[in-house]
Amino acid sequence: MTLRASFRQLLLLAFVLIALLLGAVSLSGLQALQGVLAQSREAGQQSVQLNLSTRGLAERSTDMERAARQYLVLGDDALRQRFDDAANQAQAMLLPLGQYPPTAKLAQQWLASVVRVRSQLADDRLALAARGEAVAAEFRTLDGISRGLTLQVQQSIAEHNQEVQDALETQRNRQVQQVLVAIVAAAVAALAFGLWLTQPLRRLGRAIVALGEGRLGEPVDIRGPSDLASLGRQLDWLRLRLTELDEDKARFLRHTSHELKTPLAALREGVALLSEGVGGTLGAEQAEIVAILQHNTGVLQQQIEDLLRYNAAAFDARQLQRRPTLLHSLVEEVVQAQRLSWQARGLAVVVEGDATLSHPVDPDRLGMALGNLMSNAIRFSPAGGRIRWWVGLLGSSEDRHIALQINDDGPGIAAADREHVFDPFYRGSTPPPLHTTSNGTHPPRGSGIGLAIVREQVAAHGGRVQLMADAGGACFRILLPLDAPYA
């Protein structure tokens, strides 16, 4: 189903989702950290209050003991009042310790001890010395309880500090894990979005390459974001338009060529009659003019026939009759079909590679392409040179192709000609080596359609032909896809 959103919108959505993911992890970590900080702040305030209470309690205990001992000696009510005031202040300071669970029991003991001191101070039945010893013993007990409170508060503060540190460490580890998970998730999401969003771009690239290589029979169907799908529809319209133009061009060339053949045949016949002296004996200058006319009409007829042959090849390439074919044997048949030509030049031809490799092709059409490559190699190879064919598989396991490669010992393709070597009627700047044919003349330069026919026939098979660089001579490689249909 074609998506309504555009490529830009989907890309923005991907960035927003990744940002939300990372933002959620950051906010979660910040909230957890704030909770730990609040716990730490609360524990700190409580520790300060407990420390102040224990310190104040120790000071009030000293005041209480001094006032009680002086009261027993002097019997002054003001000293007893000083004791009661110190005790009341101590009880107020003891309140936080009584509400704190770890020190609540000791706080109750401290209060009970104060109550006993009050009763001993008020008991007139005991002798003064006995009362003094009882009060001193009780204050020793009270002092021990105060030290216990101090130790318990310090121990509790240390435990709280350790809990806060453990909570911070736990939160830090959790935050690190969450950040790592978020980074991995964001990377996976970005990769998934990237792969998903770039698929239409790759299909667009393949469609553009197909149009550039003239494979106009492949529909352009781009599925994905709306703007890329719209671009795909425009490319498919362009493909249909190019198909129409190509058909119009072929039809025009075909009709024009046929129209030119009739007057050209009459012109050649008239020139032939003149050269035979039917209209009278020709002088030397007249005979030279007739020879020029005869040569140029022959060249023109050859060009028209080449044009018709190219149009026929381009048309026939769309109507392949595929059948399983041993490619090594097909190359050998092409070599044997031109045996007289390469033997006359003293050339050595070698066919190497996998002799068992079979593939569904149209042997006539592919054989025509191989024959053109062979003919070019013979024309451009020096006398006594060597032509090498190789048949096999190339590429990785995910992208394997069948390769048919030919390499000669000729001068190769000039750098200026490489870009246009497969264009129809383009003749390169490098001429073939001079050699004399059986009738004593040098062969004319090619018409420039041989490699164009090769490209047409190979493209019809779903493959491509390449000019290999730095191969020492001309080297052409035909690549055919492994998944070619049999029909």
Side-chain angles (χ1 to χ4, degrees):
M1 182 178 65
T2 302
L3 297 177
R4 296 182 181 274
S6 66
F7 181 83
R8 182 187 305 172
Q9 292 171 336
L10 290 174
L11 193 61
L12 179 61
L13 176 62
F15 280 118
V16 169
L17 290 178
I18 293 173
L20 288 177
L21 175 62
L22 296 177
V25 172
S26 300
L27 289 177
S28 174
L30 181 60
Q31 291 177 352
L33 182 60
Q34 288 178 344
V36 174
L37 290 177
Q39 180 183 358
S40 176
R41 183 169 54 253
E42 181 181 355
Q45 293 174 352
Q46 189 179 43
S47 299
V48 171
Q49 188 177 18
L50 292 175
N51 275 323
L52 291 175
S53 296
T54 55
R55 188 179 299 113
L57 193 62
E59 294 174 354
R60 298 291 84 76
S61 296
T62 301
D63 294 341
M64 289 166 55
E65 185 177 3
R66 183 183 302 113
R69 287 180 181 276
Q70 291 176 353
Y71 172 74
L72 290 175
V73 173
L74 301 176
D76 189 352
D77 290 339
L79 295 174
R80 175 63 186 270
Q81 184 61 41
R82 185 184 300 173
F83 170 82
D84 289 338
D85 292 342
N88 291 334
Q89 292 176 4
Q91 288 179 1
M93 293 180 180
L94 193 66
L95 185 60
L97 295 172
Q99 295 174 349
Y100 187 55
T103 58
K105 185 176 180 180
L106 290 175
Q108 294 296 327
Q109 294 176 1
W110 198 92
L111 289 174
S113 181
V114 171
V115 171
R116 286 192 296 272
V117 171
R118 287 179 185 274
S119 4
Q120 290 166 358
L121 291 177
D123 191 359
D124 295 335
R125 294 173 300 174
L126 295 177
L128 183 59
R131 290 167 63 190
E133 291 179 0
V135 169
E138 199 62 48
F139 271 108
R140 286 194 295 271
T141 302
L142 196 63
D143 186 58
I145 295 173
S146 296
R147 288 196 300 271
L149 285 171
T150 301
L151 292 175
Q152 185 62 50
V153 167
Q154 292 176 351
Q155 182 179 355
S156 298
I157 291 174
E159 291 176 354
H160 274 298
N161 290 337
Q162 186 62 42
E163 289 176 359
V164 171
Q165 290 181 0
D166 292 342
L168 284 173
E169 184 66 20
T170 301
Q171 182 57 35
R172 186 186 72 83
N173 294 333
R174 183 181 297 112
Q175 188 67 19
V176 170
Q177 293 176 355
Q178 290 178 351
V179 169
L180 290 177
V181 170
I183 291 175
V184 172
V188 171
L191 180 61
F193 268 107
L195 293 176
W196 179 61
L197 292 176
T198 54
Q199 283 181 357
L201 294 177
R202 288 197 295 268
R203 288 195 289 268
L204 279 173
R206 289 194 294 266
I208 292 173
V209 171
L211 291 179
E213 293 179 349
R215 301 198 301 270
L216 303 179
E218 302 177 7
V220 180
D221 184 17
I222 305 300
R223 302 189 179 188
S226 58
D227 46 1
L228 296 184
S230 175
L231 182 58
R233 290 191 293 271
Q234 293 175 5
L235 280 178
D236 195 58
W237 172 85
L238 177 61
R239 177 189 66 85
L240 296 175
R241 181 59 179 157
L242 289 176
T243 301
E244 294 176 359
L245 293 176
D246 188 58
E247 292 175 351
D248 292 342
K249 180 196 70 175
R251 186 162 47 250
F252 171 76
L253 291 176
R254 190 163 53 250
H255 292 169
T256 302
S257 300
H258 282 290
E259 291 296 327
L260 289 176
K261 286 185 68 176
T262 301
L264 181 60
L267 181 60
R268 290 202 66 186
E269 183 178 356
V271 172
L273 292 175
L274 287 175
S275 64
E276 293 173 0
V278 174
T281 304
L282 301 177
E285 293 181 357
Q286 295 172 334
E288 183 180 357
I289 294 173
V290 170
I292 293 173
L293 290 174
Q294 194 169 22
H295 171 74
N296 284 289
T297 53
V299 171
L300 181 58
Q301 182 176 7
Q302 182 64 42
Q303 290 178 347
I304 292 175
E305 290 177 354
D306 289 339
L307 180 60
L308 291 173
R309 188 158 57 93
Y310 172 72
N311 286 333
F315 178 77
D316 292 340
R318 305 171 190 172
Q319 301 176 344
L320 299 182
Q321 301 294 325
R322 293 179 183 265
R323 62 176 181 269
T325 304
L326 289 173
L327 299 179
H328 193 279
S329 299
L330 180 61
V331 173
E332 290 181 337
E333 292 176 4
V334 170
V335 171
Q336 289 301 316
Q338 302 188 36
R339 181 169 57 87
L340 294 178
S341 298
W342 56 264
Q343 283 184 347
R345 300 288 314 284
L347 302 177
V349 181
V350 179
V351 182
E352 301 172 337
D354 188 353
T356 63
L357 184 58
S358 179
H359 196 62
V361 299
D362 187 325
D364 295 332
R365 305 301 172 210
L366 185 58
M368 179 188 299
L370 299 178
N372 285 345
L373 291 178
M374 183 69 186
S375 175
N376 275 354
I378 294 173
R379 292 178 64 247
F380 283 91
S381 292
R386 186 182 185 190
I387 299 174
R388 293 171 295 278
W389 281 96
W390 181 83
V391 179
L393 294 175
L394 289 178
S396 61
S397 56
E398 295 83 7
D399 186 25
R400 291 180 70 79
H401 290 81
I402 293 175
L404 298 95
Q405 182 169 303
I406 182 172
N407 190 192
D408 61 48
D409 292 337
I413 308 297
D417 298 330
R418 289 179 176 273
E419 185 177 352
H420 305 284
V421 71
F422 294 105
D423 293 346
F425 306 104
Y426 180 82
R427 294 186 292 184
S429 58
T430 303
L434 293 177
H435 61 277
T436 304
T437 61
S438 57
N439 59 6
T441 62
H442 297 295
R445 296 184 64 181
S447 59
I449 67 166
L451 292 178
I453 291 177
V454 171
R455 185 178 64 176
E456 290 286 343
Q457 301 295 352
V458 172
H461 285 81
R464 62 183 185 274
V465 58
Q466 300 173 335
L467 172 61
M468 309 305 295
D470 301 328
C475 181
F476 293 92
R477 177 184 293 171
I478 293 175
L479 294 177
L480 301 176
L482 279 174
D483 55 352
Y486 279 80

